[in-house]
Amino acid sequence: DIQMTQSPSSLSASVGDRITITCRASQSIRSYLNWYQQKPGKAPKLLIYAASSLQSGVPSRFSGSGSGTDFTLTISSLQPGDFATYSCQQSFSPPYTFGQGTKLEIK
Amino acid sequence: EVQLLESGGGLAPPGGPLRLSCAASGFTFSSYAMSWVRQAPGKGLECVSGISGSGGSTYYADSVKGRFTISRDNSKNTLYLQMNSLRAEDTAVYYCAKDGAIVVVVRFDYWGQGTLVTVSS
């Protein structure tokens, strides 16, 4: 199985900050990488697919990059609604594993 | 508006069965693959099972293979997950998720609100 490892596990930041979350795959997954946002008690929301494609309706302050084994999610200027947990997921081969999540908290 | 409404969760004994349903609306159901994703309390997400739009192709996580069966009724716009031989570690919120294409591409663009399954005696 492909292991997905995110760092950091948690992150404190302020409104207006630029933050980056990293996701590393245990083997190459080319660009088969999705990013999701999840708020407490809610279903995940797709932000980025194919490593860098912005899902329809998602603000442009969210961006993704990377290929192979190393990927990043960047939020250019944090807004109050962005404080949530972010998870990466590989869509390269089954089982389609997720990272353990990065909890983004208000500083 | 795309809507996915799960039902069928609840308390089940270890070794028992449970059947989840997901009623879909707002899109052409048969044109999209669907999946079930679960989240144990305080834990990360796990892709449990998925099925193509035609129903001809499926996948399962190793943790549920041989115990869970995914199916769909395109005439009723409904996705199912038959869960047998339940274990305590199957306790989780189960989400149904719409995929981005008729084949499984694992790009979950819409999710239901989730249904809680608790396996306990």
Side-chain angles (χ1 to χ4, degrees):
Chain A
D1 296 3
I2 298 174
Q3 307 303 315
M4 306 300 294
T5 304
Q6 290 181 231
S7 61
S9 296
S10 63
L11 176 60
S12 294
S14 301
V15 172
D17 284 353
R18 176 187 179 92
I19 67 99
T20 297
I21 298 169
T22 297
C23 179
R24 176 165 289 175
S26 59
Q27 66 184 73
S28 176
I29 57 170
R30 293 159 56 183
S31 294
Y32 291 90
L33 192 284
N34 304 321
W35 287 100
Y36 295 89
Q37 175 195 68
Q38 188 177 24
K39 297 181 179 179
K42 300 295 186 182
K45 173 186 176 182
L46 178 65
L47 300 176
I48 302 285
Y49 64 94
S52 60
S53 295
L54 192 67
Q55 173 66 10
S56 175
V58 175
S60 59
R61 64 180 179 273
F62 292 90
S63 63
S65 66
S67 67
T69 61
D70 294 316
F71 302 86
T72 59
L73 171 70
T74 298
I75 309 175
S76 60
S77 178
L78 280 170
Q79 299 301 301
D82 298 339
F83 293 93
T85 297
Y86 293 85
S87 298
C88 61
Q89 179 201 27
Q90 63 87 9
S91 55
F92 181 72
S93 66
Y96 300 107
T97 41
F98 288 86
Q100 81 279 14
T102 294
K103 187 173 184 179
L104 177 57
E105 298 175 305
I106 300 175
K107 185 182 288 184
Chain B
E1 179 192 4
V2 172
Q3 290 193 341
L4 300 170
L5 185 61
E6 301 98 337
S7 59
L11 179 64
L18 207 59
R19 188 198 200 200
L20 305 184
S21 299
C22 173
S25 61
F27 64 102
T28 304
F29 184 67
S30 59
S31 293
Y32 294 92
M34 299 290 295
S35 284
W36 290 97
V37 179
R38 70 183 180 185
Q39 188 168 37
K43 301 296 184 182
L45 298 159
E46 180 187 16
C47 256
V48 172
S49 184
I51 187 168
S52 62
S54 67
S57 177
T58 60
Y59 73 84
Y60 296 93
D62 288 344
S63 57
V64 307
K65 204 171 291 183
R67 301 188 297 123
F68 290 11
T69 302
I70 192 171
S71 62
R72 64 190 296 158
D73 186 336
N74 287 343
S75 69
K76 295 183 178 179
N77 291 348
T78 303
L79 175 72
Y80 303 100
L81 185 67
Q82 178 67 46
M83 304 186 293
N84 296 329
S85 304
L86 282 165
R87 305 168 180 167
E89 54 264 36
D90 295 321
T91 295
V93 173
Y94 284 73
Y95 297 100
C96 74
K98 172 186 167 294
D99 210 327
I102 193 168
V103 295
V104 172
V105 294
V106 192
R107 186 171 77 235
F108 303 143
D109 53 5
Y110 289 93
W111 297 63
Q113 84 290 347
T115 188
L116 177 63
V117 172
T118 302
V119 182
S120 175
S121 54

